[in-house]
Each structure stands twice: as C-alpha cells, then as structure tokens.
C-alpha cells in the first residue's frame, strides 16, 4: 500500500526563517516514515490558498503543513496577514482537511528565529498534522 504524501507549504518571504522549520517538519515526517512534498509560495497569506487549490484539484495529499513567518512592522498589514492566514487555515481544518499550522506571528526577527530553530515549530506543526491525519482515519473507519 502506498501512503499519500503530506504537502509542506512554506512561505518564502522570510526564507532564512522558513528553512529551519522546513527542516524540522521534514525530519518529523521522516521519523514517522511518512512521504512528503514541498512547495513554496510568496508568503503566509498565500499558504491557505495553495492548500485550498490542492484540495479543490483533488490532489492526493494526506495532510498539509503550513510554514511561514509574519513579523510585525509599522503598519496594520501585519494584523491582516496574521488574521487572514489563520482564518484560512482554520476554515480548511473545519472542512476536514488535516492542517498543521506553523505560521509564526512574532514581534521581531529574534523571536522568529527562537521559534523556528530552538523551539522547532516546524516539527510541532508536523506533529499536529500527523495527529489530525490519525483522527481523520479513525473517524473514517468508524463511519
């Protein structure tokens, strides 16, 4: 039996912050012996749209890991990007799509690097995705 891959969707706006999270998520999936693919999008706001496109196209992914970073700036743009990316991922999740949210929303680059590297939020998002995939399998079997 071939397992469907997990799709890692990473925002490329802060690539130096996203890369350690990609590495953490990849390692967590490797440790779980789950196949995966990686795509990049311009930033955090595009991540839910990319996942929705994959789902609407009928792509065969077992789950999704959203990785990116939004750092507060001088305008309200931060609030919109944080809120709308989280809302988009939550809508997908409420629709039954297993999504691990690893989009960092931070005040500065130091906070971002601490979460990306030291706290390994990419691995945490992968673990969340794996848990939701297991729940979906459980509920599908009991249906």
């Amino acid at each position: 039996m071939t397992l469907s891959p997990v799709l890692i969707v990473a925002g490329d706006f802060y690539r130096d912050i996203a890369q350690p999270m990609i590495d953490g998520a990849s390692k967590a999936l490797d440790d779980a012996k789950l196949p995966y693919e990686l795509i990049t999008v311009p930033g955090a706001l595009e991540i839910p749209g990319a996942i929705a496109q994959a789902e609407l196209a009928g792509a065969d992914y077992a789950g999704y890991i959203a990785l990116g970073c939004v750092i507060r700036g001088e305008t309200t743009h931060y609030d919109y990007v944080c809120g709308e990316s989280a809302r988009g991922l939550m809508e997908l999740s409420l629709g039954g799509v297993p999504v691990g949210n690893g989009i960092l929303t931070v005040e500065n680059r130091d906070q971002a690097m601490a979460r990306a590297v030291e706290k390994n939020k990419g691995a945490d998002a992968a673990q969340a995705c794996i848990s939701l995939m297991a729940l979906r399998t459980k509920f599908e079997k009991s249906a």
Side-chain angles (χ1 to χ4, degrees):
M1 176 173 96
T2 303
L3 294 174
S4 296
V6 173
L7 183 63
I8 300 170
V9 183
D12 226 11
F13 193 79
Y14 294 108
R15 182 61 180 203
D16 61 321
I17 296 167
Q19 190 58 57
M21 291 195 299
I22 293 167
D23 295 342
S26 299
K27 183 179 182 327
L29 293 170
D30 285 339
D31 290 349
K33 298 184 180 5
L34 292 172
Y36 60 92
E37 296 175 16
L38 168 69
I39 63 167
T40 60
V41 295
L45 204 52
E46 291 77 28
I47 294 170
I51 294 170
Q53 286 182 40
E55 283 292 296
L56 290 170
D60 186 28
Y61 292 109
Y64 301 87
I65 301 169
L67 301 176
C69 181
V70 186
I71 299 175
R72 185 178 298 280
E74 298 175 2
T75 68
T76 58
H77 183 69
Y78 169 88
D79 298 311
Y80 293 110
V81 174
C82 293
E84 291 303 306
S85 62
R87 183 188 60 77
L89 294 177
M90 183 56 70
E91 282 184 15
L92 290 161
S93 184
L94 292 173
V97 178
V99 178
N101 183 353
I103 298 177
L104 304 177
T105 54
V106 298
E107 299 294 319
N108 55 55
R109 181 173 286 281
D110 289 341
Q111 287 179 354
M113 291 307 287
R115 284 159 180 76
V117 178
E118 296 163 28
K119 295 186 178 183
N120 203 351
K121 291 298 182 180
D124 289 350
Q127 290 301 329
C129 179
I130 291 167
S131 293
L132 291 170
M133 289 165 39
L135 275 177
R136 180 163 71 174
T137 299
K138 173 186 171 47
F139 294 143
E140 285 173 349
K141 286 181 179 175
S142 64

